[in-house]
Each structure stands twice: as C-alpha cells, then as structure tokens.
Amino acid sequence: MPKLRPSPKFNFKKPVFLLGLALLAAGSAFALSVPARPSGFVHDAAGLLSESARVKIERTLEDFERETSNQVVVAIFPGLEGESLEDFS
C-alpha cells in the first residue's frame, strides 16, 4: 500500500494581504481627486456659473475678506463620486 504524504499547510496570510492591497488600490483609483489650490475665491469645476455670476461672487467674496479678514471660498464639483460631503470637505 502506498504511503500517503500529509498535504502542506496552506498559508492564507499572503493571498489575503494581496487581495486587500488590490482592493485598496482599486478603491483609490476611482476616488474623487482633490483639486490644486484655487487661484481665486470661486472654483466651478462643474461649469454651472456664468462668467458674470462667477465674477460677481468673486468680487463679493473679495470685499468680504477685505472688510472682515474672514475668507470664504466657493467650490462647485460635478459630483462627489460616492464620497460623503463631510469626508471630502
């Protein structure tokens, strides 16, 4: 009768680590990217504002900063791609 060899133990650590790494990389590939620092007070990536509206808001926010020393920036994005507003902010 042939002698049976015990099967080698399968190490689950490496495949689980690689799967986790792959999922992490895939998730970050579809994440919403944060734009570079805007040059003005209005950042309209969605293109919702007319040029005259954007200029009016820009001037209003410039005046507000000059009068109060508080700064407000308006950022409009086409979507958050599944991210929550709080996490993205």
Side-chain angles (χ1 to χ4, degrees), residues 34-62:
V34 177
R37 185 177 182 177
S39 59
F41 292 96
V42 179
H43 176 78
D44 183 13
L48 294 177
L49 300 174
S50 66
E51 184 61 22
S52 62
R54 190 195 62 73
V55 168
K56 184 176 180 179
I57 295 169
E58 187 85 30
R59 287 183 184 152
T60 301
L61 294 175
E62 283 178 34

Side-chain angles (χ1 to χ4, degrees), residues 4-68:
L4 295 175
R5 289 186 187 169
S7 63
K9 285 188 174 182
F10 185 74
N11 186 354
F12 285 98
K13 290 179 183 177
K14 188 174 183 180
V16 170
F17 173 75
L18 293 175
L19 178 63
L21 190 61
L23 290 174
L24 182 64
S28 64
F30 297 108
L32 184 62
S33 62
V34 177
R37 185 177 182 177
S39 59
F41 292 96
V42 179
H43 176 78
D44 183 13
L48 294 177
L49 300 174
S50 66
E51 184 61 22
S52 62
R54 190 195 62 73
V55 168
K56 184 176 180 179
I57 295 169
E58 187 85 30
R59 287 183 184 152
T60 301
L61 294 175
E62 283 178 34
D63 293 342
F64 179 76
E65 181 184 23
R66 194 172 7 329
E67 293 169 8
T68 66

